[in-house]
Amino acid sequence: IYDEKTENVSENKLIENFNSCSNGKKQSPVNIVTSELKTNSMLPKIETNYQLSPLIIKNNQHTIKAKFDNINSITLGKVKYSLLQFHLHTPSEHKLDGKNSDLELHLVHQNDSGEYAVLAILMRSGKENLALKQFFENLPNEDHAIVNTNLKINLNDILPSNLSYYSYFGSLTTFPCDEKVNWIILKNVVEVSEEQIQKFKTIFPNNARDTHPLNDRVVETN
Ligand code: BO1
Ligand code: ZN
């Protein structure tokens, strides 16, 4: 039912797949309770090594994602994570004090040991996001469709200037929900226009997984 190569799941098996996710104790997303954060001044700074890069946009039935060649990366402490892709969820998957934002952008990175670092950017309705303008204008609305344009994105243009973050250890939010994700949720919310949000919502009205209990985890902040 799940094709590793295309990352596609046959439609009638989608629900089943969400249910067949790990029922482990470190699942994502979670509700971040700001009064229960643990300040950790030792958390590494995010160093980005992003450059103007071509991307391929794809609709994989879970979301719309932009795939990159292996030329962008971030460094956390001494560990380098390469960017594989970014994609969107609406509403946001992570909640802040019980509240969703309109969109959540996931920049999916992986290190040499196969662990993920997903940099999550919460987005809310406001002024048009020019860095993502071409992305929103080329969303493939049909299953499997690939839009092969000559567009290029510099992810530095998407990031807020202040990269302070919340972080905790959790899972992928879709099948196979592996518990090997270093979640980094930026505190600064980024604006996108209502029109951009609606463009995504016409294709995916709701592709956010429910929040899961923190159990014995603690969300840290720098
Ligand atoms: S998410 O950021 O937690 N929503 C998320 C969910 C699922 C994946 C990635 C991020 N899936 C994985 C696939 C891998 C693939 C990788 C990068 O995405 O399981 O096979 O290499 O596209
Ligand atoms: Zn995601």
Side-chain angles (χ1 to χ4, degrees):
I1 55 167
Y2 180 73
D3 181 342
E4 273 288 334
K5 286 230 168 56
T6 63
E7 296 166 35
N8 285 326
V9 181
S10 58
E11 204 160 359
N12 56 344
K13 296 288 183 187
L14 251 180
I15 307 287
E16 205 174 304
N17 254 296
F18 273 106
N19 293 337
S20 72
C21 265
S22 156
N23 47 17
K25 294 277 180 275
K26 293 178 159 58
Q27 289 289 295
S28 294
V30 299
N31 176 34
I32 298 167
V33 181
T34 50
S35 62
E36 288 168 12
L37 290 168
K38 183 181 152 203
T39 301
N40 179 356
S41 57
M42 302 297 277
L43 283 181
K45 245 186 75 188
I46 305 170
E47 312 232 10
T48 63
N49 178 17
Y50 291 150
Q51 52 186 293
L52 191 66
S53 328
L55 55 149
I56 292 175
I57 307 176
K58 191 178 168 184
N59 177 329
N60 75 348
Q61 302 180 29
H62 292 299
T63 185
I64 293 170
K65 74 178 177 189
K67 284 199 150 195
F68 293 86
D69 286 337
N70 189 18
I71 49 174
N72 294 289
S73 64
I74 57 171
T75 307
L76 293 169
K78 287 196 172 69
V79 188
K80 184 182 163 191
Y81 294 82
S82 300
L83 178 76
L84 304 174
Q85 47 112 330
F86 74 72
H87 61 267
L88 282 170
H89 297 269
T90 188
S92 68
E93 295 206 299
H94 287 90
K95 291 183 185 179
L96 262 182
D97 294 326
K99 284 197 215 98
N100 288 113
S101 53
D102 298 311
L103 291 177
E104 184 169 332
L105 183 77
H106 286 162
L107 299 169
V108 182
H109 306 75
Q110 195 171 39
N111 69 15
D112 288 342
S113 320
E115 288 163 345
Y116 292 99
V118 181
L119 188 58
I121 305 177
L122 301 172
M123 300 178 141
R124 65 154 175 258
S125 180
K127 62 176 190 296
E128 184 184 16
N129 190 305
L130 294 175
L132 288 171
K133 186 178 166 71
Q134 299 194 69
F135 175 74
F136 279 109
E137 284 172 358
N138 288 282
L139 301 180
N141 51 20
E142 285 178 23
D143 295 346
H144 308 286
I146 293 172
V147 175
N148 238 324
T149 53
N150 293 320
L151 65 96
K152 291 185 170 140
I153 280 190
N154 189 335
L155 290 164
N156 286 317
D157 299 339
I158 296 173
L159 297 178
S161 50
N162 181 333
L163 296 183
S164 53
Y165 61 86
Y166 308 114
S167 118
Y168 76 98
F169 191 81
S171 75
L172 298 175
T173 66
T174 58
F175 184 81
C177 303
D178 294 9
E179 294 179 336
K180 52 179 183 186
V181 182
N182 195 355
W183 277 99
I184 297 166
I185 298 118
L186 296 186
K187 286 188 185 177
N188 279 72
V189 174
V190 164
E191 291 186 7
V192 287
S193 68
E194 193 54 42
E195 194 189 339
Q196 290 177 317
I197 295 170
Q198 290 313 322
K199 269 187 181 154
F200 184 75
K201 277 191 184 283
T202 6
I203 306 171
F204 289 100
N206 184 333
N207 66 342
R209 190 187 192 197
D210 285 339
T211 55
H212 282 67
L214 264 180
N215 297 318
D216 52 11
R217 294 172 291 176
V218 179
V219 181
E220 296 192 317
T221 182
N222 58 355

